Amino acid sequence: MSDTPFGFGLPPEEPENGDEGKKKDPAGGGQGSGGQGGGPFGANPFGFALPGMGGPGGADNPFAAMFGSLNPNDLGAAFQQLGQMLSYEGGPVNWDMAKQIARQVVAQGTADGTKDASVGPAERTAVEEAVRLADLWLDQVTSLPSGAGTAVAWSRAEWVEATLPAWQQLVDPVAERVGTAMGDILPEEMQAMAGPLIGMMRSMGGAMFGQQIGQAVGALAGEVVGSTDAGLPLGPAGKAALLPLNVAAFGKDLGVPADEVRLYLALREAAHQRLFAHVPWLRAHLFGAVESYARGIKVDTSKLEEAVGQLDPTHPEQLQEALQSGMFQPQDTPEQKASLARLETALALVEGWVDAVVHEAAKARLTSADALRETLRRRRATGGPAEQMFATLIGLELRPRRLRDAARLWASLTDARGVDGRDGLWEHPDMLPTASDLDDPDGFVHREQPDFSELDKMLGEAAKGDTPEDGDGPA
């Protein structure tokens, strides 16, 4: 489990009144707009007060304790943002807010000072040519045909726009559980008469998720090099995408020619596209495994209530610390363990297959193939953008511990059964290697596979309906 599954913070903003906004009231008043976490509320979107509604003794009332003193200069901004939070009536995540904040984070640039920029014609042409050449090379090492109907070059902002629908599918199940838990904070005898209050809390919850997810997706846009870095099809089907700005940043200190870096990453993107386009059950299998795991996540409502009830308004970072203490935990059940194993194995098999076929295509053509392969493996193993995103959004760390095992297994299958025999295993999920097969790849490679040809023939004949046999009626 991640140490920080949900930070519920706001993206950094500059205080309107400069350094004065960072000063605390000498009498111990609230923190201004420059407080930790940014925005008028600091790290706590509830960290403002109305007269008579809170104070040091508010810990006995979790709703009163949500309000503390506020710099008068920020009062208008506080109520404006509160109004935006309360006016939301959609699902468990305010995705409009998420997109807005992600675009703001992208516009701020990355830590190295690189700002997002529109993609020029030369960069688009370079990406299109790299994907076209990559597909030609892949034709020789896999039986799956090209899955990239088009090749596109995206800016970071375009990546945000294109991938938000996939993030919505991944995150909504978890956010729904947390939204329900926020309503459960109220005592049972009060819930029947507190419908509007529960609705208000869920609106705030949708806004908090929107803020956090927007910041995470915006940060991720500054790191990814394509649409499949997470091992999932995040972009539109049939579009092989690279981000030229991030591709250049990835290869900056590698000592490898820029065109080789771009071509190697195009090979990986095109290989993912082949798999997702021609294995029709794969997308649903992967997203279903994530959703199944999310359903098993348990929200510790006592910690959530304690975080709200004991919050000191002058120290809004306490809410952040409380949320880092393990509010989201997976249920320790056989079903949850099976969901986690299924998800980890499926992602390892996808990444391992891509790693194996790309290496086969590139090793004789790119002098830097081995170095680029190892760089990407280490990037994932040390907690790359995909692993960090999963840890932030669903409290699940997906370190590709089995990537090397899976790549070795696919390579051994190629040697033993050929390209067609290897790729034929993607016809059905039950034919794929399991987690135990990754422990014993030789046993799986040399295991005799069942012959389904006779069964297929019988099923085909049955599907035709009544078949005359010797003229004596139906067989």
Side-chain angles (χ1 to χ4, degrees), residues 73-240:
N73 294 331
D74 294 323
L75 190 60
F79 278 107
Q80 182 180 6
Q81 188 154 356
L82 178 62
Q84 293 175 354
M85 296 170 74
L86 297 181
S87 63
Y88 175 68
E89 297 180 350
V93 178
N94 188 331
W95 287 102
D96 290 337
M97 180 178 287
K99 181 168 71 171
Q100 177 185 359
I101 290 177
R103 295 291 299 263
Q104 291 173 355
V105 173
V106 165
Q108 292 172 2
T110 52
D112 62 0
T114 304
K115 298 285 187 179
D116 193 23
S118 299
V119 179
E123 292 172 317
R124 295 188 187 279
T125 299
V127 169
E128 291 170 358
E129 291 178 350
V131 172
R132 189 180 304 117
L133 181 56
D135 262 335
L136 289 175
W137 290 2
L138 290 171
D139 284 339
Q140 303 173 36
V141 296
T142 173
S143 62
L144 299 179
S146 174
T150 57
V152 294
W154 284 339
S155 66
R156 293 167 178 171
E158 288 172 324
W159 182 90
V160 169
E161 295 278 354
T163 62
L164 271 180
W167 292 122
Q168 183 172 356
Q169 186 176 350
L170 289 167
V171 174
D172 272 350
V174 180
E176 180 65 41
R177 296 185 66 82
V178 178
T180 301
M182 290 181 70
D184 291 342
I185 290 179
L186 286 174
E188 186 175 352
E189 61 273 12
M190 292 179 59
Q191 291 189 18
M193 63 183 70
L197 183 56
I198 294 177
M200 180 187 73
M201 293 185 67
R202 289 185 176 173
S203 294
M204 287 184 171
M208 289 193 299
F209 272 97
Q211 292 162 358
Q212 182 67 12
I213 292 165
Q215 180 130 9
V217 171
L220 186 60
E223 302 180 29
V224 295
V225 295
S227 71
T228 55
D229 283 30
L232 296 169
L234 296 178
K239 281 191 176 182

